[in-house]
Amino acid sequence: MRREVHAEWTKLRTVAGPGWLLGALVVLTVAMGAVAAAVVPCAAAGCGQDAARISLVGVQLGQALVALLGVLAICGEYSTGMIQTSLTAMPRRGAVLAAKAVVVGGLTLGAGILAVLGSVLAGRLLLPGSGFTPAHGYPPLSLADGPILRAAVGSVLYLVLVALLSLGLATAVRDSAAAAGVVLGLLYLFPIAILMFSDEELRRVLWTISPSNAGLAVQTTVDLADLPIAPWAGLGVVAAWAAASLTGGALLLRLRDA
């Protein structure tokens, strides 16, 4: 397994795409969170806003970048024909996909930590200027605060799970454009489609199985009782999607010709 991980690490670090995506993940996630922290107002006590979620809103953009990273990690080899060479050199196909998951997950973890820490810091500095002050019931954001720490750690784990979900789907689909369309549709269009149903109970059920809706519930730090699913349980939904995606991708990788 060490040989496969080293090979996958070498492949990803010697092409430009992953580096740009990871750099953009950090910059754009922090920038979007900073903008939100600067413009969302809290004019009086009890304004009902979730300061942590405002600061971490950039994760909703960052998830697209890590999804593209997962697609690039496997579909880039299919588009160039390099996958045949890889599987000839490393015939254990399950180990190859597992190695890709380790490398993609590790890179996303590192970049996600930087992005989330930067977002929390931006929120700590900028939110008071928008009215999120102790006088209004909002102490400065701090990772020493349990709910804030949970929102931050959960956001990093969410990004890692999205990357793995994307890797598994891309392994099954093989085509970059199609795989990106499926993953981004699942993350962005599925939540919009839920709103088209008039039945409240059905919408609630669909909300709890939507990877982005359920997963991002981990960022919520106020009014937890109003959530259709608990924060960590929501992250578990994304983990189930990622596990199913990787399992299906591994099975198809074994059964089909390269």
Side-chain angles (χ1 to χ4, degrees):
M1 182 68 177
R2 182 181 299 176
R3 184 170 70 98
E4 287 85 356
V5 170
H6 183 267
E8 295 304 325
W9 162 245
T10 301
K11 281 187 279 188
L12 273 185
R13 71 181 177 85
T14 52
V15 294
W20 282 105
L21 288 172
L22 293 168
L25 166 66
V26 176
V27 172
L28 295 180
T29 300
V30 175
M32 188 172 177
V35 170
V39 302
V40 176
C42 182
C47 62
Q49 299 282 5
D50 190 332
R53 190 145 196 174
I54 291 171
S55 296
L56 294 170
V57 70
V59 171
Q60 297 183 37
L61 175 60
Q63 66 181 352
L65 298 171
V66 299
L68 294 177
L69 176 66
V71 170
L72 178 64
I74 181 73
C75 289
E77 290 194 64
Y78 276 109
S79 65
T80 61
M82 184 67 183
I83 190 67
Q84 295 182 353
T85 303
S86 296
L87 295 180
T88 300
M90 299 177 291
R92 294 190 304 158
R93 297 189 174 196
V96 170
L97 183 58
K100 287 183 182 293
V102 169
V103 173
V104 169
L107 290 173
T108 303
L109 178 65
I113 290 173
L114 293 177
V116 167
L117 287 179
S119 297
V120 172
L121 177 59
R124 181 180 177 88
L125 296 175
L126 296 173
L127 282 170
S130 299
F132 292 85
T133 61
H136 290 169
Y138 291 93
L141 292 184
S142 172
L143 294 179
D145 184 356
I148 305 298
L149 179 61
R150 184 249 300 153
V153 172
S155 294
V156 174
L157 294 178
Y158 173 76
L159 290 172
V160 173
L161 290 171
V162 167
L164 297 179
L165 166 62
S166 177
L167 176 64
L169 285 174
T171 304
V173 175
R174 293 186 174 186
D175 179 76
S176 297
V182 171
V183 177
L184 296 180
L186 189 60
L187 295 175
Y188 294 106
L189 296 183
F190 187 18
I192 295 174
I194 292 173
L195 302 176
M196 299 172 62
F197 294 92
S198 58
D199 186 282
E200 290 274 343
E201 187 60 30
L202 177 59
R203 280 197 295 183
R204 187 179 182 89
V205 170
L206 292 175
W207 198 99
T208 60
I209 64 173
S210 164
S212 56
N213 284 346
L216 290 172
V218 79
Q219 295 181 341
T220 304
T221 61
V222 300
D223 299 327
L224 297 182
D226 295 335
L227 290 174
I229 191 169
W232 287 119
L235 203 64
V237 170
V238 192
W241 275 93
S245 172
L246 286 170
T247 301
L251 181 61
L252 290 173
L253 185 63
R254 285 176 178 270
L255 294 178
R256 296 186 303 200
D257 293 333

